Amino acid sequence: MSVTPLINSLESIIACYLRLIELGESKKQVLIQNKVDQLNAIVNQENKVIKELEAAEKEREVTVRRYFREKGLRIRIPTTIDDLVKATVSMQDKQRLSSCGERLREAAAKLQETNHANQELLQQMMDYVQYSLDLLVPDDDVTYQNPVRSSGGTKNARMFDTKA
């Protein structure tokens, strides 16, 4: 068995990562522009790509197992690209696998960076919304309380006094 099926399955995974990076960049712009309706469409597209990625991962696992079985080698779980490179005899195939592995690592790092930036943006948006709600809604119970027991001033000064 040649390494071409292995490289093809790795290329499929890289393509999924690159699409997720593009969607992540689009999501970043949508978050900055506060276009929530477009955010839902991007999340749906991401879910489709993630399903494709899962299928590509399963295909990669099958291909790796077949490759090792045909070579008469014992497979280690999890198998890394470095393991594949070691199991390959041809120098040209080793270079192709190494190059593909490097592109996969770069794409994974970029995807992780994009996801981290989007998580920070989402957290900032959530903090802002919570801050806005805290300004508008007092912490006091909305239900009736005995005015004698509820002594003292307000616990937290709010911008808007709902009792006024």
Side-chain angles (χ1 to χ4, degrees), residues 21-32:
I21 291 168
E22 284 178 24
L23 291 170
E25 293 295 330
S26 298
K27 187 189 295 183
K28 184 181 187 179
Q29 295 305 316
V30 165
L31 289 173
I32 290 171

Side-chain angles (χ1 to χ4, degrees), residues 98-114:
S98 294
S99 171
C100 199
E102 185 61 32
R103 288 188 302 125
L104 183 62
R105 286 185 201 101
E106 289 174 4
K110 178 69 178 166
L111 180 60
Q112 188 174 18
E113 180 183 312
T114 303

